[in-house]
Every structure is written in structure tokens, then in C-alpha cells.
Short mmCIF file of all heavy atoms in Angstrom, two decimals:
data_model
loop_
_atom_site.label_atom_id
_atom_site.label_comp_id
_atom_site.label_asym_id
_atom_site.label_seq_id
_atom_site.Cartn_x
_atom_site.Cartn_y
_atom_site.Cartn_z
N PHE A 26 0.72 -1.25 -0.04
CA PHE A 26 -0.02 -0.03 -0.03
C PHE A 26 0.81 1.26 0.05
O PHE A 26 0.37 2.39 -0.38
CB PHE A 26 -0.93 0.04 1.21
CG PHE A 26 -2.12 -0.83 1.10
CD1 PHE A 26 -1.97 -2.30 1.49
CD2 PHE A 26 -3.30 -0.54 0.48
CE1 PHE A 26 -3.06 -3.09 1.44
CE2 PHE A 26 -4.31 -1.45 0.47
CZ PHE A 26 -4.26 -2.68 0.94
N GLY A 27 2.05 1.19 0.51
CA GLY A 27 3.00 2.29 0.58
C GLY A 27 2.89 3.04 1.93
O GLY A 27 3.49 4.12 2.00
N PHE A 28 2.23 2.56 2.86
CA PHE A 28 2.18 3.12 4.24
C PHE A 28 1.92 1.97 5.25
O PHE A 28 1.61 0.84 4.98
CB PHE A 28 1.11 4.13 4.36
CG PHE A 28 -0.22 3.66 4.03
CD1 PHE A 28 -1.12 2.95 4.93
CD2 PHE A 28 -0.75 3.90 2.72
CE1 PHE A 28 -2.44 2.63 4.64
CE2 PHE A 28 -2.02 3.43 2.38
CZ PHE A 28 -2.73 2.88 3.27
N GLN A 29 2.38 2.22 6.55
CA GLN A 29 2.45 1.25 7.57
C GLN A 29 1.05 0.83 8.08
O GLN A 29 0.14 1.68 7.93
CB GLN A 29 3.24 1.71 8.77
CG GLN A 29 4.75 1.87 8.51
CD GLN A 29 5.45 0.47 8.52
OE1 GLN A 29 4.77 -0.63 8.60
NE2 GLN A 29 6.74 0.49 8.34
N TYR A 30 0.83 -0.33 8.51
CA TYR A 30 -0.38 -0.82 9.15
C TYR A 30 -0.51 -0.23 10.53
O TYR A 30 0.43 -0.24 11.35
CB TYR A 30 -0.41 -2.33 9.18
CG TYR A 30 -1.65 -2.97 9.91
CD1 TYR A 30 -2.87 -2.62 9.44
CD2 TYR A 30 -1.39 -3.67 11.09
CE1 TYR A 30 -3.94 -3.18 10.19
CE2 TYR A 30 -2.42 -4.29 11.74
CZ TYR A 30 -3.75 -4.00 11.25
OH TYR A 30 -4.88 -4.49 11.96
N GLN A 31 -1.62 0.42 10.76
CA GLN A 31 -1.88 0.88 12.03
C GLN A 31 -3.11 0.09 12.72
O GLN A 31 -4.22 0.22 12.32
CB GLN A 31 -2.30 2.40 12.09
CG GLN A 31 -1.24 3.25 11.53
CD GLN A 31 -0.15 3.53 12.51
OE1 GLN A 31 -0.42 3.49 13.78
NE2 GLN A 31 1.01 3.94 12.07
N PRO A 32 -2.92 -0.88 13.68
CA PRO A 32 -3.90 -1.63 14.37
C PRO A 32 -5.09 -0.88 14.77
O PRO A 32 -6.24 -1.24 14.67
CB PRO A 32 -3.20 -2.39 15.45
CG PRO A 32 -1.64 -2.37 15.11
CD PRO A 32 -1.54 -1.05 14.34
N ARG A 33 -4.84 0.37 15.38
CA ARG A 33 -5.94 1.09 15.94
C ARG A 33 -5.97 2.37 15.03
O ARG A 33 -5.54 3.46 15.43
CB ARG A 33 -5.78 1.48 17.36
CG ARG A 33 -5.69 0.23 18.28
CD ARG A 33 -5.49 0.51 19.74
NE ARG A 33 -6.66 1.35 20.23
CZ ARG A 33 -6.55 1.82 21.51
NH1 ARG A 33 -5.47 1.72 22.14
NH2 ARG A 33 -7.64 2.50 21.90
N SER A 34 -6.52 2.25 13.92
CA SER A 34 -6.51 3.37 12.91
C SER A 34 -7.25 4.54 13.20
O SER A 34 -7.12 5.54 12.59
CB SER A 34 -6.84 2.79 11.54
OG SER A 34 -8.18 2.29 11.61
N TYR A 35 -8.13 4.42 14.17
CA TYR A 35 -8.94 5.66 14.50
C TYR A 35 -8.17 6.60 15.40
O TYR A 35 -8.49 7.67 15.59
CB TYR A 35 -10.21 5.17 15.22
CG TYR A 35 -10.01 4.39 16.55
CD1 TYR A 35 -9.73 4.99 17.71
CD2 TYR A 35 -10.06 3.00 16.35
CE1 TYR A 35 -9.47 4.14 18.82
CE2 TYR A 35 -9.88 2.22 17.55
CZ TYR A 35 -9.57 2.76 18.70
OH TYR A 35 -9.38 2.00 19.76
N ILE A 36 -6.88 6.17 15.83
CA ILE A 36 -6.10 7.14 16.61
C ILE A 36 -5.25 8.15 15.65
O ILE A 36 -4.86 7.63 14.60
CB ILE A 36 -4.99 6.27 17.45
CG1 ILE A 36 -5.78 5.51 18.46
CG2 ILE A 36 -4.07 7.23 18.05
CD1 ILE A 36 -4.95 4.72 19.38
N ASN A 37 -5.19 9.26 15.98
CA ASN A 37 -4.49 10.18 15.13
C ASN A 37 -3.15 9.74 14.92
O ASN A 37 -2.52 9.37 15.87
CB ASN A 37 -4.66 11.60 15.78
CG ASN A 37 -4.08 12.66 14.95
OD1 ASN A 37 -2.97 12.65 14.46
ND2 ASN A 37 -4.97 13.62 14.61
N PHE A 38 -2.73 9.93 13.69
CA PHE A 38 -1.30 9.37 13.32
C PHE A 38 -0.23 10.09 14.07
O PHE A 38 0.88 9.76 14.13
CB PHE A 38 -1.12 9.52 11.83
CG PHE A 38 -1.72 8.42 11.11
CD1 PHE A 38 -2.46 7.42 11.73
CD2 PHE A 38 -1.53 8.27 9.77
CE1 PHE A 38 -3.07 6.38 11.02
CE2 PHE A 38 -2.09 7.30 9.04
CZ PHE A 38 -2.89 6.28 9.65
N ASN A 39 -0.45 11.38 14.56
CA ASN A 39 0.49 12.20 15.30
C ASN A 39 0.74 11.73 16.72
O ASN A 39 1.52 12.26 17.41
CB ASN A 39 0.10 13.64 15.28
CG ASN A 39 0.02 14.18 13.81
OD1 ASN A 39 0.93 13.70 12.98
ND2 ASN A 39 -1.02 15.04 13.57
N HIS A 40 -0.03 10.83 17.20
CA HIS A 40 0.12 10.25 18.61
C HIS A 40 0.65 8.87 18.66
O HIS A 40 0.35 8.09 17.76
CB HIS A 40 -1.29 10.30 19.32
CG HIS A 40 -1.73 11.70 19.56
ND1 HIS A 40 -2.44 12.44 18.53
CD2 HIS A 40 -1.81 12.50 20.64
CE1 HIS A 40 -2.72 13.64 19.09
NE2 HIS A 40 -2.36 13.67 20.35
N PHE A 41 1.47 8.63 19.65
CA PHE A 41 2.00 7.25 19.76
C PHE A 41 2.14 7.01 21.28
O PHE A 41 2.24 7.85 22.06
CB PHE A 41 3.33 7.03 19.06
CG PHE A 41 4.36 8.02 19.38
CD1 PHE A 41 5.24 7.74 20.45
CD2 PHE A 41 4.53 9.21 18.75
CE1 PHE A 41 6.26 8.62 20.64
CE2 PHE A 41 5.48 10.06 19.00
CZ PHE A 41 6.46 9.83 20.07
N SER A 42 2.39 5.72 21.63
CA SER A 42 2.48 5.39 23.08
C SER A 42 3.28 4.12 23.17
O SER A 42 3.00 3.07 22.41
CB SER A 42 0.98 5.16 23.69
OG SER A 42 1.19 4.72 24.99
N TYR A 43 4.17 4.10 24.19
CA TYR A 43 4.93 2.88 24.57
C TYR A 43 4.91 2.70 25.99
O TYR A 43 4.63 3.73 26.78
CB TYR A 43 6.40 2.95 23.97
CG TYR A 43 6.48 3.22 22.51
CD1 TYR A 43 6.88 4.42 22.08
CD2 TYR A 43 6.23 2.20 21.63
CE1 TYR A 43 6.99 4.59 20.61
CE2 TYR A 43 6.35 2.37 20.24
CZ TYR A 43 6.70 3.59 19.78
OH TYR A 43 6.75 3.75 18.40
N ASP A 44 5.27 1.54 26.47
CA ASP A 44 5.25 1.34 27.96
C ASP A 44 6.44 0.34 28.23
O ASP A 44 6.79 -0.51 27.38
CB ASP A 44 3.95 0.68 28.37
CG ASP A 44 3.68 0.86 29.94
OD1 ASP A 44 4.64 1.49 30.58
OD2 ASP A 44 2.62 0.39 30.39
N PHE A 45 6.98 0.44 29.36
CA PHE A 45 7.92 -0.61 29.81
C PHE A 45 7.25 -1.91 29.93
O PHE A 45 6.13 -2.06 30.45
CB PHE A 45 8.53 -0.20 31.26
CG PHE A 45 9.50 0.98 31.21
CD1 PHE A 45 9.11 2.20 31.70
CD2 PHE A 45 10.80 0.77 30.62
CE1 PHE A 45 10.00 3.22 31.58
CE2 PHE A 45 11.69 1.79 30.61
CZ PHE A 45 11.31 2.95 31.07
N GLN A 46 7.90 -3.02 29.48
CA GLN A 46 7.36 -4.30 29.60
C GLN A 46 7.26 -4.80 31.05
O GLN A 46 6.47 -5.52 31.53
CB GLN A 46 8.09 -5.32 28.76
CG GLN A 46 7.84 -5.21 27.30
CD GLN A 46 8.39 -6.33 26.49
OE1 GLN A 46 9.42 -6.80 26.76
NE2 GLN A 46 7.61 -6.89 25.48
N ASP A 47 8.45 -4.37 31.78
CA ASP A 47 8.51 -4.90 33.27
C ASP A 47 8.85 -3.68 34.03
O ASP A 47 10.05 -3.22 34.09
CB ASP A 47 9.53 -6.04 33.28
CG ASP A 47 9.47 -6.59 34.74
OD1 ASP A 47 8.68 -6.03 35.63
OD2 ASP A 47 10.15 -7.52 34.98
N ASN A 48 7.97 -3.05 34.73
CA ASN A 48 8.25 -1.95 35.49
C ASN A 48 9.08 -2.19 36.81
O ASN A 48 9.59 -1.36 37.58
CB ASN A 48 7.02 -1.11 35.96
CG ASN A 48 6.31 -0.46 34.79
OD1 ASN A 48 7.00 0.04 33.92
ND2 ASN A 48 5.03 -0.49 34.71
N ASN A 49 9.27 -3.55 37.11
CA ASN A 49 9.90 -3.91 38.32
C ASN A 49 11.41 -4.21 38.01
O ASN A 49 12.09 -4.64 38.89
CB ASN A 49 9.25 -5.11 38.95
CG ASN A 49 7.87 -4.85 39.45
OD1 ASN A 49 7.68 -3.79 40.06
ND2 ASN A 49 6.94 -5.74 39.20
N SER A 50 11.90 -3.95 36.81
CA SER A 50 13.33 -4.25 36.49
C SER A 50 14.19 -3.25 37.25
O SER A 50 13.82 -2.10 37.41
CB SER A 50 13.50 -4.13 35.05
OG SER A 50 12.70 -5.16 34.29
N PRO A 51 15.32 -3.80 37.71
CA PRO A 51 16.17 -2.79 38.55
C PRO A 51 16.72 -1.71 37.55
O PRO A 51 17.14 -2.02 36.34
CB PRO A 51 17.32 -3.71 38.98
CG PRO A 51 17.23 -4.85 38.15
CD PRO A 51 15.92 -5.01 37.69
N VAL A 52 16.96 -0.48 38.07
CA VAL A 52 17.58 0.58 37.28
C VAL A 52 18.90 0.93 37.91
O VAL A 52 19.01 1.11 39.07
CB VAL A 52 16.62 1.86 37.34
CG1 VAL A 52 17.30 2.93 36.52
CG2 VAL A 52 15.25 1.44 36.70
N LYS A 53 19.87 0.87 37.00
CA LYS A 53 21.23 1.18 37.52
C LYS A 53 21.40 2.65 37.77
O LYS A 53 21.27 3.43 36.82
CB LYS A 53 22.30 0.66 36.52
CG LYS A 53 23.74 0.63 37.06
CD LYS A 53 24.71 0.13 36.02
CE LYS A 53 26.15 0.14 36.54
NZ LYS A 53 27.10 -0.40 35.54
N ILE A 54 21.76 3.13 38.98
CA ILE A 54 21.88 4.45 39.34
C ILE A 54 23.14 4.83 39.87
O ILE A 54 23.36 5.94 40.39
CB ILE A 54 20.70 4.92 40.31
CG1 ILE A 54 20.87 4.14 41.58
CG2 ILE A 54 19.37 4.82 39.65
CD1 ILE A 54 19.99 4.65 42.67
N SER A 55 24.13 4.04 39.66
CA SER A 55 25.56 4.29 40.14
C SER A 55 26.17 5.55 39.42
O SER A 55 25.88 5.68 38.31
CB SER A 55 26.42 3.03 40.02
OG SER A 55 26.58 2.77 38.59
N GLY A 56 26.81 6.28 40.21
CA GLY A 56 27.32 7.59 39.64
C GLY A 56 26.39 8.73 39.73
O GLY A 56 26.75 9.83 39.32
N TYR A 57 25.23 8.55 40.32
CA TYR A 57 24.30 9.62 40.40
C TYR A 57 23.77 9.77 41.88
O TYR A 57 23.87 8.83 42.65
CB TYR A 57 23.01 9.36 39.49
CG TYR A 57 23.42 9.45 37.99
CD1 TYR A 57 23.73 8.17 37.47
CD2 TYR A 57 23.39 10.63 37.25
CE1 TYR A 57 24.15 8.26 36.09
CE2 TYR A 57 23.69 10.57 36.03
CZ TYR A 57 24.16 9.37 35.39
OH TYR A 57 24.46 9.41 34.06
N ASP A 58 23.38 10.87 42.36
CA ASP A 58 22.96 11.05 43.68
C ASP A 58 21.49 10.88 44.07
O ASP A 58 21.16 10.58 45.05
CB ASP A 58 23.42 12.55 44.17
CG ASP A 58 24.87 12.76 44.05
OD1 ASP A 58 25.66 11.85 44.58
OD2 ASP A 58 25.33 13.75 43.52
N TYR A 59 20.66 11.25 42.98
CA TYR A 59 19.17 11.15 43.26
C TYR A 59 18.51 10.43 42.11
O TYR A 59 18.95 10.47 40.98
CB TYR A 59 18.60 12.68 43.44
CG TYR A 59 19.31 13.40 44.49
CD1 TYR A 59 20.26 14.29 44.19
CD2 TYR A 59 19.05 13.10 45.87
CE1 TYR A 59 20.85 15.06 45.29
CE2 TYR A 59 19.64 13.76 46.94
CZ TYR A 59 20.64 14.87 46.56
OH TYR A 59 21.16 15.45 47.57
N PHE A 60 17.38 9.85 42.50
CA PHE A 60 16.50 9.23 41.51
C PHE A 60 15.01 9.75 41.60
O PHE A 60 14.53 9.79 42.67
CB PHE A 60 16.59 7.70 41.74
CG PHE A 60 15.49 7.02 40.86
CD1 PHE A 60 15.76 6.63 39.53
CD2 PHE A 60 14.25 6.54 41.36
CE1 PHE A 60 14.84 5.95 38.78
CE2 PHE A 60 13.37 5.92 40.61
CZ PHE A 60 13.56 5.60 39.31
N PHE A 61 14.58 10.17 40.50
CA PHE A 61 13.13 10.77 40.45
C PHE A 61 12.37 9.79 39.42
O PHE A 61 12.88 9.49 38.43
CB PHE A 61 13.07 12.18 40.04
CG PHE A 61 13.58 13.19 40.96
CD1 PHE A 61 14.90 13.68 40.79
CD2 PHE A 61 12.78 13.61 42.01
CE1 PHE A 61 15.32 14.61 41.71
CE2 PHE A 61 13.25 14.46 42.91
CZ PHE A 61 14.53 15.05 42.86
N GLU A 62 11.11 9.56 39.81
CA GLU A 62 10.28 8.86 38.76
C GLU A 62 9.05 9.67 38.55
O GLU A 62 8.35 10.09 39.47
CB GLU A 62 9.86 7.47 39.42
CG GLU A 62 8.96 6.72 38.43
CD GLU A 62 8.55 5.34 38.94
OE1 GLU A 62 8.80 5.07 40.14
OE2 GLU A 62 8.04 4.60 38.22
N ILE A 63 8.88 10.09 37.27
CA ILE A 63 7.77 10.93 36.83
C ILE A 63 6.77 10.09 36.00
O ILE A 63 7.08 9.55 35.03
CB ILE A 63 8.27 12.06 35.92
CG1 ILE A 63 9.25 12.95 36.83
CG2 ILE A 63 7.10 12.92 35.59
CD1 ILE A 63 9.90 14.07 36.07
N THR A 64 5.58 10.04 36.48
CA THR A 64 4.56 9.19 35.80
C THR A 64 3.40 10.07 35.53
O THR A 64 2.85 10.77 36.29
CB THR A 64 4.10 8.05 36.69
OG1 THR A 64 5.19 7.22 37.01
CG2 THR A 64 3.04 7.16 35.87
#
């Protein structure tokens, strides 16, 4: 067709969304003083 398949085609093409597969994975913070999580 010349363009990508969009499974949820009613969503505006200018928007996209991703998520971590596993939010409980450890995050390496060595070399830094503080950790902030913004959701």
C-alpha cells in the first residue's frame, strides 16, 4: 500500500504510546545522587 499498518487506525497518526514491559526491573543508578520517577 505504501504506508504502515496501524492496528488502531482511529487514533490520530500524530500520537503514539509505549510502555515498559516490566516496571519492576532494576535501574542502575551508580554515579548519580538522586532518582526521580515521573509518571
Side-chain angles (χ1 to χ4, degrees):
F26 287 89
F28 53 88
Q29 291 284 3
Y30 174 62
Q31 298 283 337
R33 300 177 65 187
S34 56
Y35 52 86
I36 294 179
N37 189 299
F38 281 3
N39 295 323
H40 291 79
F41 57 90
S42 174
Y43 302 106
D44 199 0
F45 287 106
Q46 283 191 322
D47 186 359
N48 289 326
N49 294 320
S50 297
V52 178
K53 187 176 181 180
I54 58 173
S55 60
Y57 296 89
D58 296 313
Y59 303 102
F60 172 80
F61 289 101
E62 183 176 11
I63 300 175
T64 304

